[in-house]
């Protein structure tokens, strides 16, 4: 308060509105904007490492980046509401979480829609994404700053029964993240989906509370799920992504120059993480085999057919803007 009080006395000639405007523009020399990020990811996850190595220094002239990992600040799937309420500035969110507020985001959660990391970037930067971004900004106060590559999701089981087709997943308790769009994907794969936060998965696998989880290979390594599982079934059922969510209120208080720096910092961090995740995906099959896990391809066509049919027949598909799938496929 001392800083504000002294600056206000200096500004005494300026109308209160003017003073509050100037004080509100956090880009002021003395005051840096505090950017708290909440994520359930670990500090060693590639997306988190890249944000610390690239994003934080790039914005440090006017902002203090303050990451909170392992869901210690906000529980998984509560971050968007925290940003909307002004209690948080940044999050690593997902189309699955946004779909809770705006069903049409489920088109980006449908299995086998995104083809690869580069396709995700083309989709995110295409005009087709504009209405989605605007809706999140207007109705939630969340700006989707950039797209992050999470990786191809694979099935990871603690049981050793061979999984070839979706029928082999009947009755398998497959943990999925805690939103409806995720539960739907678990069911579409043929399993019995169990909603559970990411931070509880390791112990649930260890104790047998669940039979399986699904995540990309880099996550299986980073969170050491391979220590408590026996096999990885390479379904690649979702080329998964996250969005770096940023408070619109905070964004609007940055100067145009600061906004440009922030946007570039986010894109550069996302690109560094993307390259690291891709490199890990290329080498981790060997790593898991050496750790004694069975790693193999199932009948991917059978999984693809079942998942795509489930989505096309679903209420989700009715929320998709007409022609959106064709536009995504054309990119
Ligand atoms: C998960 O909970 O399995 C998930 O992969 C969902 C993603 O959207 C994302 O939240 C991710 O966890 C975390 O970033 C941890 O990697």
């Amino acid at each position: 308060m001392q800083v504000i009080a002294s600056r206000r006395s200096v500004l005494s000639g300026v109308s209160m509105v003017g003073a509050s405007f100037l004080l509100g523009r956090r880009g002021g020399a003395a005051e840096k904007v505090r950017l708290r990020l909440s994520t359930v990811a670990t500090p060693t996850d590639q997306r988190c490492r890249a944000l610390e190595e690239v994003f934080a220094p790039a914005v440090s002239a006017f902002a203090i980046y303050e990451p909170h990992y392992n869901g210690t600040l906000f529980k998984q799937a509560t971050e968007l509401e925290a940003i909307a309420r002004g209690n948080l500035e940044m999050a690593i969110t997902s189309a699955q979480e946004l779909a809770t507020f705006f069903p049409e985001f489920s088109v980006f959660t449908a299995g086998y829609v995104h083809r690869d990391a580069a396709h995700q970037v083309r989709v995110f930067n295409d005009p087709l994404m504009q209405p989605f971004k605007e809706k999140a900004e207007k109705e939630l106060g969340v700006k989707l700053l950039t797209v992050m590559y999470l990786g191809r999701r694979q099935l990871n089981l603690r049981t050793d029964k061979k999984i070839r087709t979706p029928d082999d997943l009947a009755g398998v308790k497959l943990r999925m993240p805690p939103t409806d769009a995720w539960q739907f994907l678990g069911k579409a794969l043929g399993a019995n989906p169990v909603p559970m936060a990411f931070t509880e998965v390791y112990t649930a696998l260890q104790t047998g509370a669940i039979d399986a989880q699904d995540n990309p290979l880099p996550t299986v390594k980073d969170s050491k799920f391979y220590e408590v599982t026996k096999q990885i079934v390479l379904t690649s059922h979702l080329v998964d992504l996250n969005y770096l969510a940023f408070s619109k209120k905070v964004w609007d208080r940055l100067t145009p120059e600061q906004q440009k720096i922030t946007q570039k910092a986010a894109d550069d961090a996302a690109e560094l993480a993307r390259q690291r995740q891709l490199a890990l995906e290329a080498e981790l099959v060997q790593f898991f085999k050496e750790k004694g896990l069975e790693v193999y391809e199932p009948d991917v066509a059978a999984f693809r057919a079942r998942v795509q049919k489930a989505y096309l027949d679903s209420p989700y598909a009715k929320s998709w803007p007409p022609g959106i799938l064709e536009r995504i496929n054309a990119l």
Side-chain angles (χ1 to χ4, degrees), residues 39-42 45 47-48 76 79 92-97 150 153 175-178 182 196-199 201 213-216 219 222-223 225 240-242:
T39 176
V40 290
T42 69
D45 175 282
R47 294 157 297 157
C48 299
Q76 185 167 34
E79 301 93 340
I92 297 178
T93 189
S94 63
Q96 293 85 353
E97 288 166 355
L150 180 55
R153 295 183 85 90
R175 173 269 172 183
M176 296 301 285
W182 281 116
M196 179 184 291
F198 180 79
T199 43
V201 172
Q213 70 90 27
D214 83 310
N215 256 290
T219 302
D222 180 60
S223 290
F225 295 147
D240 206 6
L241 56 79
N242 286 117

Side-chain angles (χ1 to χ4, degrees), residues 257-321:
E257 178 58 21
Q258 291 166 345
Q259 289 175 346
K260 215 161 94 230
I261 292 169
T262 303
Q263 182 63 63
K264 183 175 183 323
D267 289 334
D268 292 352
E271 180 55 22
L272 175 62
R274 183 174 297 113
Q275 295 314 320
R276 286 174 171 171
Q277 292 282 77
L278 287 165
L280 280 170
E281 284 188 309
E283 71 188 41
L284 283 176
V285 169
Q286 192 49 36
F287 172 84
F288 294 126
K289 284 184 173 170
E290 283 160 13
K291 288 291 179 185
L293 279 80
E294 287 292 311
V295 186
Y296 58 92
E297 279 213 0
D299 178 348
V300 174
F303 275 98
R304 179 191 293 267
R306 173 141 174 179
V307 168
Q308 284 186 325
K309 183 173 183 333
Y311 274 94
L312 291 177
D313 295 352
S314 75
Y316 284 117
K318 295 183 182 44
S319 71
W320 300 346

